[in-house]
Amino acid sequence: MTNKTINGLYAITDPALTPDERLLPAVEAALFGGARLLQYRDKTASADQRRRRASQLRALCHEYDALFIVNDDPALAAEVGADGVHIGQSDGGIATARALLGDNRIIGVTCHGDLRLARQAADAGADYLAMGRFFASRTKPQAPPADIASLKQACDGFPLPVVAIGGVNADNAPLLIQAGAASVAVIEALFGHSDPADIEAAARRISDLF
């Protein structure tokens, strides 16, 4: 994958903010507002629900020429024809995901603020590195903090796009973009809105920063 593939606004769903009946309208609003990637993240739904929703989201993302990423589940990503998978440090290795998805799908890896983890992921064949959290986050308050210096080091030190995550909104995203982030991942600043028009407006504000 190239740096040009992973860029711009990266929207991530959350089952508490985007329950079943709101999921598709909320995601479509974010895509209409300019989101270039969407990650489906739901650890509470049943396997059948996740398969159905992932298939619907994949189709919707591709209508908007956006990339569809599945969180933590390479098998589901392969089954629904997702563009890739995002894995954490405890979700199985890159090699396992690559074996399921093949060479042409995206594998992103959570590296927190740890350049050692970023090096391991880069050496193992990750397509992008996710660094963060950079700001206070209500969706993942327990995530370890990261600083802008580590983001800049990762952006300068690895030939991979870096996605910045953690409490990102339109006001603080410029700091991350200036440090070199190819993409910013956003959850609450998008899907914390209940009105699709507000989601679209929030997405557009962040997308316009790129």
Side-chain angles (χ1 to χ4, degrees), residues 5-200:
T5 301
I6 310 296
N7 62 17
L9 172 58
Y10 188 155
I12 301 179
T13 67
D14 180 285
L17 299 176
T18 51
D20 197 28
E21 69 279 2
R22 286 191 53 217
L23 180 60
L24 291 178
V27 166
E28 184 160 26
L31 293 168
F32 195 71
R36 303 308 307 136
L37 302 96
L38 177 90
Q39 182 184 135
Y40 172 54
R41 183 177 184 276
D42 188 345
K43 299 177 184 294
T44 60
S46 70
D48 285 345
Q49 288 173 321
R50 294 177 74 245
R51 189 179 304 111
R52 172 176 58 83
R53 293 170 186 168
S55 296
Q56 292 171 328
L57 290 171
R58 175 194 173 276
L60 186 58
C61 285
H62 288 184
E63 282 182 34
Y64 285 86
D65 197 27
L67 295 172
F68 175 60
I69 308 293
V70 170
N71 177 267
D72 286 357
D73 193 337
L76 176 61
E79 182 179 355
V80 302
D83 296 296
V85 69
H86 182 91
I87 57 176
Q89 290 296 318
S90 58
D91 297 322
I94 292 173
T96 301
R98 187 65 72 197
L100 281 166
L101 293 173
D103 292 336
N104 295 322
R105 303 294 173 90
I106 298 164
I107 298 176
V109 180
T110 295
C111 302
H112 304 296
D114 191 328
L115 294 172
R116 180 185 56 85
L117 294 177
R119 169 57 65 192
Q120 291 174 355
D123 289 346
D127 294 299
Y128 72 80
L129 310 173
M131 306 289 289
R133 64 174 171 89
F134 292 102
F135 308 103
S137 170
R138 284 196 285 185
T139 51
K140 295 192 80 172
Q142 77 284 5
D147 58 37
I148 300 293
S150 66
L151 173 63
K152 192 172 191 319
Q153 286 178 280
C155 294
D156 292 343
F158 301 106
L160 294 174
V162 176
V163 176
I165 189 171
V168 182
N169 58 42
D171 295 325
N172 58 37
L175 291 172
L176 306 173
I177 297 168
Q178 289 161 13
S183 175
V184 294
V186 182
I187 305 172
E188 187 174 18
L190 287 177
F191 298 125
H193 298 285
S194 58
D195 187 334
D198 292 333
I199 296 173
E200 178 193 335

